[in-house]
Amino acid sequence: MENKVWTSDVFDSVKGKLPATPSKKFEERLQQALENERKITRPSIIHMKWMAAAACAILVLISINFLAIENWNTKNENQSANTQKNYTADILIPNYDFLNESL
Amino acid sequence: MISFEEIYNENFKKVYNLVISYVQHVEDAEEVCQDVFLKVHRELNQFEQRSKVSTWVYRIAVNASLDHLRYKNRSKRKVFFLPIFGRQSEHSSFEIPDFYHPGIAIEKQELSRYLYGAINILPENQKTAFILCFVEEMPQKQVAEIMQLNIKAVESLLQRAKQSLRKALENEYEGQMKRKKIMSK
């Protein structure tokens, strides 16, 4: 019986308690923590934006570079093919006398 | 859109009291409370207003408190000599904390320590239901919203928590009586 009474007293001990309040320094510390968070996050967001912009610019430059190289390669191939054609047309004369070396 | 200052002013006392019931340490409670409001500040833009702001804030507080307890228990387990030199007596089924709630009347403080000690042996969901409903005297509907359960489930958790606590406290009382008898001999 005593056991039950004691147990119910323990249960009742938290009833009607007053709300506890944090210390005065709590608010100051929270303000400071919020301030620190702002300081940390703001530059990092700006940083991230700049990083993203820089990455985009690099990608654009690389793609332009590739296009330019490809363009240059195809142009070169075309040109060399043309010169080859001209060369063979000039040199391959059908009745060339190799012994006399004159036409 | 509600501002951070409004949320803080409306809820900081309740959040602090909720956290202190979990962590049972004044300085730790302030630290956890700070983490709660930093998280609220960080995630306020992402809050979708599916529930009340206070419910959302209390949910963050409950999770932060449970995280703190998990971390504390983990570091406690690492202390090898604790079971030998710990405060847990051979008759107690739980450890009685050195915690005196600042809002409890002095004559009830000694008794309340037993309840806070017994709360620590409850599983997390029973502990949450008991602290919110019984210690913080929140309505069951709000508790159900915070715990994202239905009212029936909260009722059953509360019932089971009370049963476990009653059993632990009765054991503790019997242990105390045995000790007294031994001392008187």
Side-chain angles (χ1 to χ4, degrees):
Chain A
M1 189 63 197
E2 265 181 46
N3 192 339
K4 294 248 162 32
V5 173
W6 184 80
T7 305
S8 69
D9 282 349
V10 171
F11 270 98
D12 290 342
S13 65
V14 290
K15 277 188 178 168
K17 66 177 168 55
L18 296 170
T21 42
S23 66
K24 282 177 187 171
K25 280 187 179 174
F26 168 73
E27 224 157 284
E28 283 171 31
R29 262 180 279 148
L30 180 64
Q31 285 282 356
Q32 192 62 46
L34 286 170
E35 202 72 18
N36 288 345
E37 191 142 296
R38 275 186 204 124
K39 271 182 202 164
I40 295 164
T41 50
R42 273 188 192 163
S44 72
I45 287 168
I46 294 166
H47 219 92
M48 277 165 70
K49 280 179 184 170
W50 276 110
M51 294 269 276
C56 283
I58 288 167
L59 274 174
V60 168
L61 282 173
I62 288 170
S63 54
I64 288 171
N65 218 20
F66 268 110
L67 282 173
I69 288 168
E70 204 138 300
N71 209 18
W72 187 73
N73 275 349
T74 46
K75 228 179 194 179
N76 252 14
E77 269 170 27
N78 284 344
Q79 240 173 14
S80 62
N82 279 342
T83 42
Q84 200 104 24
K85 254 187 211 166
N86 290 341
Y87 182 76
T88 44
D90 285 346
I91 301 296
L92 291 177
I93 298 160
N95 302 320
Y96 186 74
D97 187 355
F98 286 96
L99 293 171
N100 281 333
E101 287 186 359
S102 61
L103 288 168
Chain B
M1 187 79 187
I2 193 162
S3 71
F4 174 76
E5 279 72 24
E6 278 176 88
I7 295 174
Y8 175 79
N9 290 330
E10 277 172 27
N11 297 292
F12 86 95
K13 267 192 185 170
K14 201 104 184 168
V15 166
Y16 180 69
N17 278 277
L18 178 61
V19 171
I20 210 171
S21 293
Y22 274 96
V23 302
Q24 300 170 9
H25 193 279
V26 173
E27 277 104 50
D28 284 1
E30 286 189 5
E31 217 171 278
V32 173
C33 212
Q34 184 175 305
D35 291 344
V36 170
F37 283 106
L38 282 176
K39 196 167 185 191
V40 168
H41 183 262
R42 223 177 286 140
E43 293 180 2
L44 187 58
N45 295 332
Q46 294 157 30
F47 175 58
E48 289 166 350
Q49 294 184 327
R50 277 190 216 146
S51 59
K52 273 189 203 167
V53 178
S54 58
T55 306
W56 175 63
V57 175
Y58 297 150
R59 198 178 299 143
I60 292 174
V62 168
N63 288 334
S65 305
L66 290 173
D67 282 343
H68 177 84
L69 291 180
R70 276 181 220 129
Y71 172 75
K72 227 177 154 186
N73 287 340
R74 231 179 291 141
S75 47
K76 229 183 195 181
R77 254 178 263 147
K78 281 178 193 164
V79 183
F80 181 70
F81 295 108
L82 198 84
I84 303 166
F85 300 112
R87 283 174 43 84
Q88 195 170 350
S89 75
E90 55 182 302
H91 299 291
S92 309
S93 48
F94 54 87
E95 216 175 301
I96 300 152
D98 277 330
F99 169 64
Y100 293 94
H101 190 289
I104 292 176
I106 297 165
E107 63 271 18
K108 287 181 179 175
Q109 275 192 341
E110 206 54 48
L111 281 176
S112 72
R113 282 173 65 211
Y114 289 96
L115 186 65
Y116 283 113
I119 286 172
N120 289 335
I121 61 164
L122 294 175
E124 283 182 358
N125 50 3
Q126 286 183 31
K127 189 187 287 183
T128 301
F130 185 79
I131 288 176
L132 296 179
C133 291
F134 193 84
V135 182
E136 294 309 314
E137 295 171 6
M138 282 186 189
Q140 283 191 358
K141 196 185 166 217
Q142 194 181 9
V143 176
E145 280 168 10
I146 294 168
M147 294 183 77
Q148 292 174 311
L149 296 170
N150 56 44
I151 296 177
K152 282 261 162 88
V154 173
E155 267 173 22
S156 127
L157 282 172
L158 185 62
Q159 226 34 51
R160 273 188 281 158
K162 279 182 180 173
Q163 271 174 9
S164 306
L165 289 174
R166 207 160 279 140
K167 209 174 171 186
L169 288 167
E170 282 173 5
N171 285 345
E172 174 62 31
Y173 185 82
E174 277 165 24
Q176 275 186 27
M177 288 300 113
K178 274 182 194 169
R179 263 172 279 159
K180 269 185 189 170
K181 273 182 190 170
I182 293 166
M183 293 288 269
S184 62
K185 278 179 189 174

